[in-house]
Amino acid sequence: MAASSFLAAAAERVGPSIRRQVLTLTDAAASRIRHLLLQRQCPYLKLGVKARGCNGLSYTLNYSDEKGKFDELVEDKGVKILIDPKALMHVIGTKMDFVDDKLRSEFIFINPNSKGQCGCGESFMTTSSSGATKPGGL
């Protein structure tokens, strides 16, 4: 009995810190998102995924005026991002960056769940999405 109460107490103390961050932003990404949200006068940017591309999934970014019932709210570096509940398992632990140079101006996602990516970088695959890319899968 004493051992189980000790473990329960330890789990309570470390529980929140064990939870993996859903999404983190670089300073460049946060700055660009802040600029976009102020320009549109919108409180949230919403991150999702949709089935498309040669590897199965593609990121989507949309403006949102309100938080949906099951959306995950991420607040980082002064900006608020909503994660679509269908995208959550595909993006946990992802770092979002923004690159602006002579060749491109885009958000980049460094996703530890990605098990494959197409050559152009437009689509990706996770282990939980691999069934959707096979014939007859969904």
Side-chain angles (χ1 to χ4, degrees):
M1 287 284 192
S4 64
S5 62
F6 171 76
L7 291 174
E12 275 184 36
R13 281 189 303 245
V14 297
S17 64
I18 288 177
R19 184 173 179 207
R20 191 172 191 185
Q21 182 73 19
V22 174
L23 181 75
T24 56
L25 304 174
T26 63
D27 291 336
S31 176
R32 182 63 179 164
I33 292 168
R34 191 175 302 108
H35 170 78
L36 292 171
L37 292 176
L38 284 171
Q39 190 176 350
R40 286 289 289 253
Q41 296 189 353
C42 208
Y44 306 108
L45 192 66
K46 188 168 186 172
L47 172 64
V49 295
K50 73 189 305 188
R52 78 168 184 211
C54 42
N55 256 310
L57 294 172
S58 176
Y59 298 103
T60 62
L61 287 171
N62 295 295
Y63 296 103
S64 182
D65 289 321
E66 58 187 44
K67 180 183 178 299
K69 184 176 180 179
F70 298 107
D71 289 343
E72 179 83 17
L73 174 63
V74 174
E75 294 185 63
D76 192 11
K77 296 178 176 63
V79 295
K80 295 177 181 177
I81 298 180
L82 299 174
I83 311 294
D84 186 285
K86 292 177 232 146
L88 192 57
M89 66 182 175
H90 300 291
V91 301
I92 289 177
T94 295
K95 179 188 263 186
M96 186 175 176
D97 194 7
F98 181 73
V99 175
D100 189 16
D101 58 30
K102 291 180 182 178
L103 296 175
R104 60 193 175 156
S105 181
E106 65 185 351
F107 287 104
I108 295 176
F109 298 90
I110 299 104
N111 187 339
N113 306 305
S114 178
K115 301 300 179 206
Q117 194 170 354
C118 67
C120 64
E122 290 295 316
S123 65
F124 69 101
M125 174 179 56
T126 63
T127 51
S128 54
S129 69
S130 59
T133 61
K134 294 176 184 165
L138 274 184

